[in-house]
Structures are given as structure tokens and as C-alpha cells.
Amino acid sequence: GAGDPVKASDVKAAHLERILDLARPTYDVLVFDLGQAINPASIMVLDHSDTIHPVVQLTLPYLRAGRHLMEILHSLGYPADRMQVLLNQFEKQAAITIRTMEDNLGARIAHMIPIDARTAREAANQGVPVPQLAPGSAMTRALLQMVDAAFPAPAKKEGGL
């Protein structure tokens, strides 16, 4: 499984490419959580991605790891316009500011998901999406804004002849 590093090493780029080939015609959106590892399998998925969402938090470890990840992604040739940084567990009183994170990453934060440990934990424990569990929560609003940004509603056509 995903949490087992021994089994994870068995996942090859060819396996993921086959999954992509089978899933792309069926689904509008595919999401791969690649974790922290950059390896041939994760690079293959990144190569086939329309958008890459590096996920960070406003903590010193993420400040360093995020910068390192962005350097790797740029060195692999992924253009900045494919990157949309996601700030997870956002809280206004964090020791590191959004501006500091953006300056460090060399990219602006595109999306912010507010911290709401109880809602996230309950959704995971119940196996339901956050918007279903807590439709009025700040986390749900942020997730829906992210979806709306990725998939804007088509413009309404004006009536007439």
C-alpha cells in the first residue's frame, strides 16, 4: 500500500503510465499524491500532469523542503505556469508569513486551505469528503474555490437571434 515503503518501491513508472492510459479517457480529473519522493515513477506522473500542486505549510521544515522541491521541479524542466502552490493548514498567526513562503519558493501561493483539524480528522475517519461532512466550513469553501479556479463555469450565452 501507499504507506508501505517496501511495497511502494515495487510501483514502477510503467505501472503508473498504464493506470494513466486507462483512467484518462474515463475521468475528467486525476489526482496523484506523490508524497515527498522524486523518483522515476513520480517524474512520469509529473510529466503527464497539466498542473502540479506542491503542498506546503507555514512551518520552517516546509519552508526548506518546499524550496528544495521547487528547485528540483524547475531543474526537471517543469515551467512555472504549471505550478500552483497549495498552502495547507493555513492559520493567520503562523510564525512564517505567506510573503516569506512565497519569496522562499519563488512562486505565489495559489490556494489556501485553512486549518481545521477536527473536520479533516472526522472526514478521514468517516471516509467522506469534507464538503459532505461540513458543507458550511471554511475548509469546504476553500476547496470549492480551488475547484472553481481549476474549472471555471462556462460563460452564459446571451439570448437573441
Side-chain angles (χ1 to χ4, degrees), residues 40-83:
S42 63
I43 290 170
M44 189 284 308
V45 172
L46 292 168
D47 286 347
H48 287 82
S49 298
D50 297 323
T51 307
I52 300 169
H53 292 278
V55 179
V56 298
Q57 295 177 19
L58 294 178
T59 65
L60 191 56
Y62 274 93
L63 191 73
R64 292 179 180 144
R67 180 183 188 124
H68 182 65
L69 176 60
M70 294 299 278
E71 289 170 353
I72 291 170
L73 294 173
H74 289 300
S75 73
L76 290 170
Y78 302 115
D81 64 348
R82 281 181 52 197
M83 308 289 173

Side-chain angles (χ1 to χ4, degrees), residues 15-131:
H15 298 140
L16 287 176
E17 191 160 29
R18 179 74 176 132
I19 291 169
L20 280 170
D21 289 343
L22 292 171
R24 273 200 166 182
T26 306
Y27 298 99
D28 294 330
V29 178
L30 300 175
V31 177
F32 284 83
D33 181 350
L34 301 176
Q36 301 290 322
I38 299 293
N39 55 46
S42 63
I43 290 170
M44 189 284 308
V45 172
L46 292 168
D47 286 347
H48 287 82
S49 298
D50 297 323
T51 307
I52 300 169
H53 292 278
V55 179
V56 298
Q57 295 177 19
L58 294 178
T59 65
L60 191 56
Y62 274 93
L63 191 73
R64 292 179 180 144
R67 180 183 188 124
H68 182 65
L69 176 60
M70 294 299 278
E71 289 170 353
I72 291 170
L73 294 173
H74 289 300
S75 73
L76 290 170
Y78 302 115
D81 64 348
R82 281 181 52 197
M83 308 289 173
Q84 290 193 13
V85 178
L86 172 63
L87 175 58
N88 195 22
Q89 299 185 21
F90 170 66
E91 55 185 327
K92 292 179 183 174
Q93 293 77 26
I96 295 172
T97 66
I98 291 172
R99 180 176 175 103
T100 299
M101 180 62 79
E102 289 177 334
D103 289 347
N104 185 67
L105 297 175
R108 82 172 190 82
I109 292 172
H111 308 286
M112 291 186 282
I113 308 298
I115 190 165
D116 187 347
R118 186 187 65 74
T119 299
R121 182 178 53 252
E122 285 302 312
N125 286 340
Q126 293 180 33
V128 298
V130 168

Side-chain angles (χ1 to χ4, degrees), residues 126-140:
Q126 293 180 33
V128 298
V130 168
Q132 181 180 328
L133 179 74
S137 72
M139 185 182 287
T140 293

